[in-house]
Amino acid sequence: MDQTKQQEEDYGYNLFPERTSGKVKKGSIAQSLFTFNHKCQVMLQFAIETSPYAKLLLGAMKSSGCTVNKDRHFSCEDCDGTVSGGFDATSSQIVLCQNNIHQQSHMNRVVTHELIHAFDHCRAHVDWFNNFKHLACSEIRAANLSGDCSFQNEVSRFNFGLKKHHQACVRGRALRSILAVRKVSPEEAEKVVDEVFDTCFNDHAPFGRIPHDKEDAKFAYREFESRGRYYANL
């Protein structure tokens, strides 16, 4: 990548001010008890213990040699008001925006979305900073598999009733994510998303299917666990 372009491109870090300042805060006891940070930590713990989406992704990453440690790989931070989370490839950390996540269902979706990026980072060695197609593919997969575009969530946004609505939702959310973290035109982003959409939309790893709701995710998780037991007995 051209050096001038690298200097101009901030890769979305401006949305995460604690990252750009180099001072990611680790809370005191008082902070952890009475602030957004405490609520974020509690919701994160609940998500990784109970969400079938998160449990499957964590298991798949462990099987791929990328065991996730909650204290090392998750960070609750204050962010720009337009984002809920992010995956920092330079530190292999998932950022959870404690000032923007207020409900457990939202936390579950954000954790799942970012864990899909982490899974891709682990299994596919994604070149986040230089290969635009890699970024677009992971954003398509995260929107498709995380529940971001579930029927329930789309109805809550008053978006429903269109033919192939799930695909349209995935495409739209992937485009918005790309435009939030890259200084490119909408036309450029659309071109790259179109080039990789079919391949990446149909890549359902590690779920084996699109988990359209929690029951789908539970079924995929049970299947994943059973597969692990089967291989262990071979």
Side-chain angles (χ1 to χ4, degrees):
M1 182 180 287
D2 181 79
Q3 187 174 2
T4 303
K5 189 174 181 181
Q6 278 188 315
Q7 290 171 348
E8 292 175 352
E9 182 69 83
D10 63 18
Y11 302 109
Y13 279 99
N14 63 304
L15 301 173
F16 306 95
E18 293 186 24
R19 303 258 128 186
T20 54
S21 68
K23 298 177 180 179
V24 178
K25 292 180 283 188
K26 297 297 180 184
S28 65
I29 294 176
Q31 181 190 42
S32 66
L33 286 175
F34 301 111
T35 66
F36 282 148
N37 186 271
H38 173 57
K39 184 177 181 181
C40 178
Q41 295 288 349
V42 170
M43 288 195 295
L44 167 60
Q45 186 67 39
F46 191 80
I48 63 179
E49 288 180 353
T50 66
S51 166
Y53 293 87
K55 288 164 69 175
L56 192 155
L57 284 159
L58 291 168
M61 289 185 69
K62 184 177 181 180
S63 296
S64 299
C66 300
T67 300
V68 176
N69 178 280
K70 174 177 170 285
D71 293 330
R72 160 67 181 85
H73 294 109
F74 290 93
S75 181
C76 290
E77 302 174 17
D78 287 336
C79 309
D80 180 272
T82 62
V83 292
S84 299
F87 177 69
D88 185 350
T90 59
S91 61
S92 298
Q93 254 189 341
I94 289 171
V95 181
L96 301 170
C97 298
Q98 61 194 20
N99 55 320
N100 298 329
I101 302 174
H102 304 298
Q103 296 180 333
Q104 185 64 51
S105 59
H106 188 190
M107 174 63 81
N108 293 352
R109 288 198 307 276
V110 175
V111 167
T112 301
H113 184 110
E114 303 307 336
L115 277 173
I116 291 167
H117 291 320
F119 175 76
D120 289 346
H121 186 68
C122 169
R123 68 156 186 165
H125 307 292
V126 179
D127 186 351
W128 301 98
F129 303 111
N130 298 302
N131 193 318
F132 203 4
K133 289 183 179 180
H134 285 192
L135 171 66
C137 189
S138 192
E139 290 296 354
I140 290 165
R141 282 178 29 78
N144 189 28
L145 302 173
S146 65
D148 286 346
C149 289
S150 70
F151 178 76
Q152 181 179 359
N153 287 328
E154 282 296 272
V155 168
S156 71
R157 300 175 188 126
F158 300 101
N159 295 326
F160 50 89
L162 298 175
K163 187 178 181 181
K164 293 190 175 180
H165 180 74
H166 182 77
Q167 289 94 324
C169 173
V170 169
R171 186 185 300 272
R173 293 187 73 83
L175 282 170
R176 286 195 292 276
S177 293
I178 291 166
L179 291 171
V181 298
R182 292 293 184 273
K183 293 179 179 177
V184 296
S185 68
E187 292 75 19
E188 284 181 275
E190 287 174 7
K191 182 176 183 294
V192 175
V193 167
D194 286 344
E195 287 175 357
V196 302
F197 188 83
D198 288 344
T199 298
C200 301
F201 182 82
N202 289 304
D203 179 0
H204 303 151
F207 293 93
R209 62 177 58 76
I210 299 174
H212 288 287
D213 55 32
K214 194 173 180 179
E215 291 306 311
D216 277 351
K218 284 180 179 178
F219 185 84
Y221 178 59
R222 287 195 298 269
E223 193 174 68
F224 174 80
E225 284 195 310
S226 298
R227 185 169 64 243
R229 287 194 294 270
Y230 170 77
Y231 287 125
N233 291 324
L234 287 179

